[in-house]
Each structure stands twice: as structure tokens, then as C-alpha cells.
Amino acid sequence: MRVLLTGGAGYIGSHTALVLLEAGYDVTVLDDFSNSSAESVARIEALTDRSVQTIACNLGDLREAAQALQVIDFEAAIHLAGFKAVGESVKNPSAYYRNNIVSTLNLLDILRAKNVRELVFSSSATVYGVPQTERIDESHPTGQGLTNPYGRSKAMIEQIIRDVHASWPDFKAVLLRYFNPVGAHESGRIGESPSGVPNNLMPYVAQVAAGQRESVKVFGDAYATPDGTGVRDYIHVMDLADGHLAALQHLEPGVATYNLGSGIGYSVLDVIGAYAEASGKDVPYVITEPRAGDVSRVIADPSRANQMLGWSAKRSLDDACRDSWRWQKQNPEGLQGRYTVAE
Ligand code: NAD
Ligand code: UFG
């Protein structure tokens, strides 16, 4: 069985491709390499000793994407392509809406035209907005109180997929709401290559541990959490990749929604401490003002995925720090060589 991975050269896509190849699936990666490089695909091929069909194409261009996919037989698609930087989405909303939404509409039209009925979509815990419960399950309201165009684009795409299902009852879709993906493949050969200054905590901490940046800025220490810093549900990217495989294997007509998280919350200071331990390096930090739009805690209730998909997070925060550090040491510039010091 062949699976199309849009955005398959990126951080989550590359790990997902590897897991699918190891499970015996054939993989086609469609990516415009706007935030990745073909090197990640070459490394997946080397790690798995399998070949990956690669299509360099902008999914935002319907004609180009339809033409490229016309000759390819695939039975399911995992749709990861999109822009994901929250701050950038506030500065350039139309680019975010255009890329994320138009690409999805194009993919859905192509799937319909080819009668490919199976779709797994990369959604995000961001659709829940400000959490109203200690741990968030899938029945938590979505689309309310979202603070940025990135998050709103995810909530809109979820709705679009539901509407497409309403018009096409045979369609089988899964919306995977990721919590905070971290870590890298244990080989250190594939991982996350942020462009410029990392927005997310762990890649920033990795660069501080490596001596590339002076100190971590801890965004606020007066939240209502045990140590006052923000608490998140960090999920190892290989567990996330396993979650895609499980979702693919449990597709049924309809639109199912699953949280992919560990159910465990760690604070910013927990992450810094775990990373210092895993790397054996000092990780200096300074407390700064809270970041606009941040909430105190976001923790998944992953029970539905545990029960329905037979999936659960197996790897710990320490595993993620160890694997991230291996990746960081072996690839100090990332795969695109876009590491820059300027803040
Ligand atoms: P990433 O940027 O590493 O991967 C996205 C890939 O999509 C990149 O390879 C990029 O080149 C490609 N792409 C972007 N626009 C494209 C287009 N128009 N046509 C073809 N390819 C295109 O990001 P990631 O962290 O791997 O995220 C994958 C998906 O998961 C995204 O949809 C993201 O919004 C979602 N997600 C990520 C996180 C996270 O923290 N990393 C959390 C929740 C959800
Ligand atoms: N943080 C810092 N310093 C930094 C970066 C982050 O203190 O330099 C803190 C944040 O305030 C937060 C925690 O570390 O408390 C995690 O922040 P991230 O930026 O790593 O992650 P977010 O929870 O803000 O958001 C991430 C993705 C979103 C996704 C969301 C899902 O960036 O795309 O998880 O929950 F939607």
C-alpha cells in the first residue's frame, strides 16, 4: 500500500515516513522544500534501505499538484504540509491562510478526483484555545479564543474536512491533534531544523546547550503551576510518528479526532533541567516577561487514542532530550544550514 505524505520532508513528516517504511508501506513524499531539504529524504532512505518517491511541488498550486499526482497510485494521504510559526502567522496572516487552507482544498479535490478515500490530517492542540479543564479531551470546545491565524487555520481546516465528509460519506478522515512534538530519531540522522531563532522551547534549549546561544529566555514564572513556568505535554516525535501509523490502520468512514499527547505535563524549568542532564552541559536561563498569547498549561487526555488506536506514548522527556541532543551535536547547523545567531 502506498501512502502520500504532503510535507513529508519536514520534521514530523520525515519521522512518519520512516515509521511507515519500516512497517512495509510504500511512501511518496510531496514537498516544496520551503521549510525542509531533500537531504532528510535521502537520510530516511539510508536509514530504512528503502526508496522514497519524491515529488518537489507546491501543493498550493492545484494544476501543478494535480498533474504531478495524476500518474501516482496511492491509497491514503497524510497531510502535513503547511506553515506552522505562530508569530509569523500574526505578521503575515494572508500567507498563512493561503498556504494552509488552499493547499488543503487542493489536496481534498485531488483525493476526490482520484477516489482516494483515506486522509490523516496534522491538526494541533492549539485548536482548543484556552484550556477549560485540567487535561483536555477531544470533546473540549474548539475554535474559541484562538489568538493567532495559524491556530485559526487549523480549526478551519478541521471544519473543511468535516464538510467534505458530509458530501462524500465513503470518505475516511482522522484529525490528529498534536500536543508539543519534541526529540528526534534515535540515530541522530533526522530531526528538527528550525530556521533562524527557534520559536519552540526544546530547539532553543538545544542551541543553548550547544553553546550557540547564551541563555534560554523563560517566558514568565508567575503562572499557576508548581514552579510558576508554563506547563506543556511534550510528545516524542517517534511516538507521534507511531500515532500516524496507528491512525492509518484504524481509518473508518467518518471523521475521527484523536489527541496525540502523553498525558503528562512538564514545566519549562523541568525541560531545561532534563536537557542539562541529558547533554551534560550547562543550560543557563533568565526569566523574562510572559509571551503574548501563551497559556499556563496544556495537557492532553489521550485516553481515546489509547483505547481506539491501541496507541500510547512510550518515550519519556529524558528520551526526547537525549535524542534531541544527539541530533543537535551531529547537525549543529540543521539540514538546511539556516542556523543564525541574531535574535
Ligand atoms: P515542518 O515545517 O518541518 O514541515 C512541513 C513541511 O511542509 C515542510 O517540509 C515544508 O517544506 C512543507 N510545505 C509547506 N508548505 C507547502 C506547500 N504549499 N506545498 C508543499 N509542501 C509544503 O513542520 P512540522 O513540525 O513537521 O509540522 C508538520 C505539520 O504538523 C504542520 O501542518 C504543522 O502545522 C503541524 N503541527 C506541528 C506542530 C509542531 O509543534 N511541530 C504542532 C502541531 C501541529
Ligand atoms: N517557552 C519559553 N522560552 C522559549 C520558548 C518557549 O519559556 O524560548 C515556553 C512557552 O512559554 C511555553 C513552553 O515553553 O510555556 C512551550 O512553548 P513552545 O513555543 O515550545 O510551544 P507552544 O506550547 O507555545 O506551542 C506548540 C507549537 C504550536 C502548537 C502547540 C500545541 O508551537 O504550533 O504547541 O499545543 F499548536
Side-chain angles (χ1 to χ4, degrees), residues 84-86 123-127 150-151 154 178-182 198-205 216-220 223 229-234 266-268 272 288 290-291 294-296 298:
K84 62 163 182 175
V86 172
S123 190
S124 168
T126 198
V127 301
Y150 166 71
K154 290 290 176 192
Y178 310 156
F179 281 67
N180 288 56
V182 287
N199 297 304
N200 295 118
L201 179 64
M202 193 172 287
Y204 200 106
V205 170
V216 182
K217 294 186 190 66
V218 176
F219 297 148
Y223 287 111
T229 67
V231 166
R232 295 291 182 274
D233 184 330
Y234 293 95
Y266 287 106
S267 73
V268 177
I272 292 173
T288 69
R291 183 170 62 181
D294 270 0
V295 297
S296 61
V298 184

Side-chain angles (χ1 to χ4, degrees), residues 176-251:
L176 296 180
R177 294 179 179 151
Y178 310 156
F179 281 67
N180 288 56
V182 287
H185 185 252
E186 62 175 17
S187 65
R189 298 293 292 159
I190 54 171
E192 186 174 14
S193 303
S195 70
V197 183
N199 297 304
N200 295 118
L201 179 64
M202 193 172 287
Y204 200 106
V205 170
Q207 294 187 1
V208 172
Q212 294 174 326
R213 295 184 193 281
E214 221 167 88
S215 59
V216 182
K217 294 186 190 66
V218 176
F219 297 148
D221 67 348
Y223 287 111
T225 60
D227 66 18
T229 67
V231 166
R232 295 291 182 274
D233 184 330
Y234 293 95
I235 169 123
H236 194 296
V237 66
M238 288 301 294
D239 280 330
L240 202 61
D242 289 340
H244 290 74
L245 174 63
L248 203 58
Q249 289 169 339
H250 288 82
L251 278 161

Side-chain angles (χ1 to χ4, degrees), residues 13-210:
S14 56
H15 293 81
T16 302
L18 188 140
V19 163
L20 293 183
L21 289 162
E22 284 179 343
Y25 289 85
D26 295 323
V27 168
T28 299
V29 164
L30 182 151
D31 204 299
D32 66 358
F33 303 109
S34 54
N35 199 36
S36 55
S37 94
E39 175 64 15
S40 66
V41 179
R43 291 188 178 192
I44 298 161
E45 289 182 318
L47 284 167
T48 56
D49 204 16
R50 300 271 318 271
S51 71
V52 175
Q53 185 177 43
T54 307
I55 303 171
C57 165
N58 175 5
L59 188 57
D61 183 329
L62 179 58
R63 192 198 286 255
E64 185 190 338
Q67 208 163 29
L69 292 174
Q70 199 174 14
V71 290
I72 295 165
D73 284 326
F74 56 95
E75 279 148 81
I78 303 183
H79 179 38
L80 306 115
F83 293 157
K84 62 163 182 175
V86 172
E88 215 174 78
S89 81
V90 175
K91 290 190 194 124
N92 201 349
S94 54
Y96 267 67
Y97 285 122
R98 186 177 301 112
N99 193 44
N100 292 1
I101 293 183
V102 173
S103 294
T104 305
L105 293 172
N106 290 348
L107 177 66
L108 288 165
D109 283 354
I110 292 168
L111 297 183
R112 188 75 200 253
K114 291 178 72 75
N115 199 27
V116 173
R117 296 179 205 160
E118 302 192 346
L119 175 70
V120 176
F121 172 62
S122 298
S123 190
S124 168
T126 198
V127 301
Y128 294 120
V130 179
Q132 293 170 13
T133 48
E134 183 88 350
R135 301 207 304 162
I136 307 172
D137 70 20
E138 293 83 352
S139 67
H140 186 287
T142 60
Q144 294 170 17
L146 300 183
T147 55
N148 60 77
Y150 166 71
R152 279 191 277 269
S153 78
K154 290 290 176 192
M156 288 176 192
I157 293 168
E158 288 198 355
Q159 187 56 53
I160 291 168
I161 290 171
R162 287 196 193 90
D163 289 342
V164 167
H165 170 257
S167 75
W168 186 16
D170 292 343
F171 190 45
K172 307 173 184 179
V174 167
L175 312 175
L176 296 180
R177 294 179 179 151
Y178 310 156
F179 281 67
N180 288 56
V182 287
H185 185 252
E186 62 175 17
S187 65
R189 298 293 292 159
I190 54 171
E192 186 174 14
S193 303
S195 70
V197 183
N199 297 304
N200 295 118
L201 179 64
M202 193 172 287
Y204 200 106
V205 170
Q207 294 187 1
V208 172

